[in-house]
Amino acid sequence: MSEALEIARAALAGETAWLVGGAVRDRLIGRDTDDVDLAIPGDPKRAAKAIAKASGATAFQLSGAFGAWRVVAPGHAWHVDLVTLLDDDILADLAKRDFTINAMAEPLGGGALVDPHGGREDLARRVVRMVSERALEEDPLRSLRAVRIAVELELEIDGETGLAAARHAAGVARVAWERVFAELKRVVSAEAVRRGLTIMETYGLTEIVLPELTALRGIEQSRFHHADVYNHTLEVLDCVALLQRDPVAAGLDAGVAALLAQPLSDELTRGDALRWAALLHDAAKPATRGFHGGRVTFMGHDAAGAQLARDVLGRLKASTKLRDYVAAVTLHHLDAGFLVHERPLDRRTVWRYLRATQPYSADTTIFTVADRLATRGDNAEPAIEAHLEVARELLAAAREEDTAGPTSPLVRGDELIREAGVPAGRQLGTILAQLEEDRYAGAIATREEAIARAQELAR
């Protein structure tokens, strides 16, 4: 039994309450969950407060959720959502739910399963089936939710349910984007993400929630690519997933998996966020496609793509941190590839790369490996080996810098003004940056050398 369920049972002992939805489903399939849904007769506020008081958790009303309340444990270890039981009748309540596997209930205090729509049998058959098409009419987002549940739980979508999902896909455009993103990000983070994207496209959902992806179909590239932009994008996504799962197989070290497993934002790990970079890093190619010397080009697609990534994630109401992260990776996803032609890399070149890509130098470098592995046109194997060589060096440098943390400058700006005669202003900032590069390159190592170098630069 989950901690959340134990606490809710103790806090609401003797009261009428129903365990409903995904919590029941997950218990039946033996899937651990720290998210519990309860249906409560009347206003759930008092029950939410009781659970919070018993556990030291925080209770608050969910905005726009028809009076629903949430109780969140310290450290977000678990949460309990409480809603009003429809008409104080569990059968009426379950009849309004989305899919049969979510339309089951158990008395919170213990008792027989209530399963009027055959959800338990559908679980055994590994099927997602709608309770009624009215559920999808009333909330078109359920079309996307069917896909999310199918890919997360490795289920098939019932044929009639799939047809209904396709019929109501266009209605998702009327749904609040925060809700769309909540479902979509789980599809993108799923192990079976490629299957999820295929189902979404089959039902017409992708062109509603992520039209920038469908726009990549048929955009042909140069001879160094073996696929159009759409299929290349999906292969980059596959390679990011590989780097999350088994970076050694992709040519990097095992520590990459630990880095990509770190939480970033929006309930996504760094690796999950890189999946969004995979989907969006070439999204500006249709708008930037051109020809030069008889070759296909996409000049400026990195900068244009960074802005487009911000726009897409902004539309989805993602956090500023996630927007910044995906935009930064997109902006610099070509940089490491350019350095292949500058081998062996000197310290100054490495320093400039780190400064350009901070604070996500390691993540950006890892992403470039996924992008390179998914580019298998002419001369692919030698190009991949050369890129891996550069990427390993850049990744080691990024890790070294991250481990060392901020370092104190050899000399401060006010000291340069006072002792080296450097005027305040833009030149001072430029000189300080140059001193840091010189220090990294080993050209200076002491305060005295820094002042002398500053005087030389200020002349």
Side-chain angles (χ1 to χ4, degrees):
M1 186 188 304
S2 73
E3 180 183 3
L5 187 53
E6 287 183 4
I7 290 171
R9 280 183 171 171
L12 303 180
E15 299 189 26
T16 299
W18 295 91
L19 182 67
V20 294
V24 178
R25 177 199 69 213
D26 290 348
R27 277 163 51 79
L28 289 175
I29 62 177
R31 185 172 184 248
D32 292 334
T33 180
D34 292 314
D35 301 337
V36 171
D37 295 323
L38 299 178
I40 307 289
D43 187 353
K45 176 180 178 179
R46 188 198 56 77
K49 295 286 189 180
I51 296 171
K53 182 177 179 180
S55 59
T58 302
F60 55 92
Q61 188 171 13
L62 293 172
S63 61
F66 307 104
W69 279 71
R70 173 167 291 176
V71 184
V72 178
H76 303 275
W78 51 263
H79 76 255
V80 177
D81 285 344
L82 303 97
V83 298
T84 301
L85 180 65
L86 182 65
D87 297 331
D88 288 347
D89 181 349
I90 190 59
L91 294 179
D93 188 284
L94 296 179
K96 295 283 287 183
R97 292 183 176 264
D98 49 11
F99 307 109
T100 62
I101 59 175
N102 293 337
M104 298 180 283
E106 295 177 3
L108 180 61
L113 177 73
V114 179
D115 181 16
H117 304 286
R120 189 169 199 165
E121 181 181 349
D122 284 342
L123 267 183
R125 295 192 303 124
R126 312 295 296 168
V127 167
V128 179
R129 181 168 62 88
M130 61 189 172
V131 172
S132 70
E133 186 164 348
R134 183 180 67 251
L136 277 66
E137 292 172 356
E138 293 176 350
D139 186 0
L141 183 66
R142 288 167 169 168
S143 294
L144 181 57
R145 186 175 301 150
V147 180
R148 186 263 294 173
I149 292 171
V151 298
E152 285 189 337
L153 301 183
E154 299 179 4
L155 308 179
E156 297 296 327
I157 298 176
D158 164 75
E160 287 300 318
T161 301
L163 291 173
R167 282 194 291 272
H168 298 288
V172 177
R174 302 190 301 272
V175 176
W177 284 109
E178 294 91 340
R179 297 182 65 221
V180 173
F181 186 50
E183 299 290 345
L184 183 58
K185 70 183 178 183
R186 290 175 65 172
V187 174
V188 174
S189 298
E191 184 175 341
V193 54
R194 283 291 294 273
R195 176 176 172 242
L197 292 175
T198 298
I199 299 171
M200 283 174 54
E201 185 159 14
T202 299
Y203 294 165
L205 287 161
T206 310
E207 63 187 62
I208 302 298
V209 301
L210 203 59
E212 294 79 8
L213 181 59
T214 58
L216 303 181
R217 277 196 176 278
I219 304 297
E220 298 298 333
Q221 306 193 79
S222 73
R223 63 186 178 87
F224 297 105
H225 287 266
H226 66 290
D228 68 1
V229 180
Y230 178 83
N231 287 292
H232 168 73
T233 293
L234 296 185
E235 290 186 27
V236 176
L237 179 64
D238 286 341
C239 290
V240 170
L242 174 62
L243 285 161
Q244 289 178 275
R245 184 176 65 252
D246 186 5
V248 175
L252 298 180
D253 62 83
V256 166
L259 174 68
L260 296 184
Q262 293 175 5
L264 180 81
S265 182
D266 299 74
E267 300 177 321
L268 300 176
T269 65
R270 298 169 88 104
D272 294 337
L274 278 191
R275 293 184 180 207
W276 282 92
L279 290 173
L280 297 171
H281 77 289
D282 278 349
K285 278 191 170 180
T288 58
R289 189 171 188 267
F291 293 89
H292 181 74
R295 291 180 52 187
V296 175
T297 64
F298 300 98
M299 300 298 292
H301 81 274
D302 45 356
Q307 184 57 56
L308 183 57
R310 285 188 184 278
D311 293 343
V312 171
L313 291 169
R315 181 182 74 225
L316 291 170
K317 307 302 182 184
S319 69
T320 298
K321 185 169 185 178
L322 183 61
R323 297 181 216 179
D324 288 347
Y325 180 92
V326 175
V329 172
T330 299
L331 180 62
H332 296 292
H333 77 274
L334 301 176
D335 293 13
F338 293 146
L339 298 185
V340 167
H341 307 291
E342 297 188 29
R343 291 175 297 159
L345 303 184
D346 60 36
R347 295 277 289 179
R348 292 186 185 278
T349 299
V350 172
W351 174 256
R352 290 166 190 166
Y353 175 84
L354 295 177
R355 297 288 64 73
T357 56
Q358 66 176 352
Y360 303 121
S361 300
D363 309 65
T364 302
T365 305
I366 292 166
F367 181 79
T368 70
V369 172
D371 193 23
R372 178 65 259 186
L373 290 173
T375 306
R376 293 184 173 272
D378 288 0
N379 199 43
E381 293 307 322
I384 288 171
E385 286 305 313
H387 190 99
L388 281 168
E389 177 187 321
V390 168
R392 293 185 194 110
E393 184 175 348
L394 295 174
L395 185 56
R399 284 169 164 166
E400 180 183 353
E401 186 169 85
D402 289 343
T403 299
T407 58
S408 299
L410 293 173
V411 60
R412 300 192 312 270
D414 62 314
E415 294 172 324
L416 289 182
I417 294 172
R418 185 172 60 251
E419 300 179 40
V422 178
R426 182 177 299 177
Q427 185 186 25
L428 177 61
T430 301
I431 289 174
L432 285 168
Q434 186 62 54
L435 293 179
E436 289 302 310
E437 178 183 314
D438 291 344
R439 183 184 189 182
Y440 189 84
I444 59 174
T446 67
R447 183 177 185 277
E448 291 72 22
E449 290 174 337
I451 291 174
R453 174 64 168 148
Q455 289 172 329
E456 175 186 330
L457 292 169
R459 290 181 190 141

